[in-house]
Amino acid sequence: MPVLLRKQTINVLKALQEKKSDVVASELADELNMTYIVVMSAVNDLIEVKLGNFKEEEIDQVSLTVEGLDYLKNGLPERQLINIMLKNKLKEINTQELLKQSGLEKKIFYVGLSNLKSNRWVAQSKASGEDKIFIIAESFEETPLELFLSHFKDKKSIDYYGLSKEEQSLVNLLNKRKLITRKRKTLRKITLTKKGREIELSKINELQQVSKITSTMLSSGSWKDYDLKPFDVSKPGPLLKGGKIHPVINLINEIREIFISLGFTEIRGPIIESAFFNFDALFQPQDHPAREMHDTFYLSNPKTAKLPDKDRVTAVKETHENGGESGSKGWGYQWDENVAKKTLLRTHTTATTVRRLARYYQENEKPPIKVFSIDRVFRNEKVDKSHLAEFTQIEGIVIGDNVTLSDLIGIIKEFYKKMGFEKIVTRPGFFPYTEPSMEISVFYDKLNSWIEMGGSGIFRPEVTYPWGIKNPTRVLAWGLGLERLAMLKFGRKDIRDLYVNPIKWLRHESY
Ligand code: PHE
């Protein structure tokens, strides 16, 4: 069987055969201009075909510091100083004078001087009343320390444990002078087996290099016979096209966070609603075109809805017929329970907030109550670039004592501010269930125009009295369009895009 190896492995094997002795992996890597990992993976290949092996060795590596490297080049301070003295024949000289004449840095001068003194090459004396230095030695041969230092001329580092006792004490001396550092390391030494040393390179076949593994290679197992090209991690990868959260869902989550951060709780209500909660409880007269205006989808199955407790139905009926307890005169017509029982797809989430008022009554709750809902509503509208038959409303109410219109404006302003819209305006509006009523618009910089976002107001007594909510307790209410906001946020001109899901946009916008 011919041996099959990757090109790099063959190169490593060749280098090892030429060496004839164990080689340190990192040194071989430097020599062959390969990375360490590439060399070690070649060694792994060699191990697999029983041509090579490696062993680990703990070493204590001694190498020079920046200062040590400087002295290796220019001589130790004591050598620098004595050389200057000898060259200028300064056998006896005033210390300060020598400092000046030598031109050495103060630090080097004093370190040099103190070592010259401990070498007994010079002496310092103030006996004559003057601080003087005298040369006292005859010869100035290379010291053991200098000899040891010169080993670093052809080696970057030396293994401490490979040194003699004397050399080890020199290392300790150099260490004290901060000229060397010591580092523990694990060396990997590569060896060849007998077979590895003897095998002829010409008998080895080179694995074919490929950049991709195909499914056929995987299923047949033939991928093992190829050398996979290394990856270039700096190249851009393919675009990931996995499942992502839809941008509109992300926006809804962002809105949730905002209301929750303002102390609101989320509520949800049924999509299939009774006319009672969608219209009657909101004081919309049964014969009023308002119900038609909403272009309601009525349902034939289920055809009728269950109404709340009789006394609450009666309370709503009375507000319509004569104002009931609310202090108004009502609409003055005969209210029909069967009309209220009709089922429909809710046309607004105000139905859901009115249900919250019913619960408030039933559970005898106390203010303040702050709730919001972000939910789907339905209107029988012709779909075009700015209208959908199903869309989403951002609805909310605050039940509170003595709450006012400026509280309402404050909440709405804060919400849009957090959404990134600083400028909002309110205009008087009309809804059968609020008084006063306000339309809300926000300013959109990119289009340099005001865009209508929805309605709001304070629920009329005719709406709140049936649920036991009376002055000074009031209910602030609003209902805003989500898709409008989404169009601005995502820069879409056609509202349908939000749900038709153009794939390019989704990939760009989702995360
Ligand atoms: N329900 C209204 C709509 O659908 C918005 C609104 C909600 C107005 C609450 C006033 C109070 O347009």
Side-chain angles (χ1 to χ4, degrees), residues 294 347-350 379 393 395-396 431 433-434 437-438 454-457 459 477-480:
H294 273 100
T347 62
H348 55 187
T349 41
T350 317
R379 290 183 199 173
Q393 288 189 319
E395 189 95 22
F431 301 98
Y433 33 95
T434 47
S437 303
M438 295 187 307
S456 67
F459 278 150
W478 59 90
L480 311 163

Side-chain angles (χ1 to χ4, degrees), residues 455-466:
S456 67
I458 299 179
F459 278 150
R460 302 174 68 100
E462 291 93 330
V463 175
T464 63
Y465 269 55

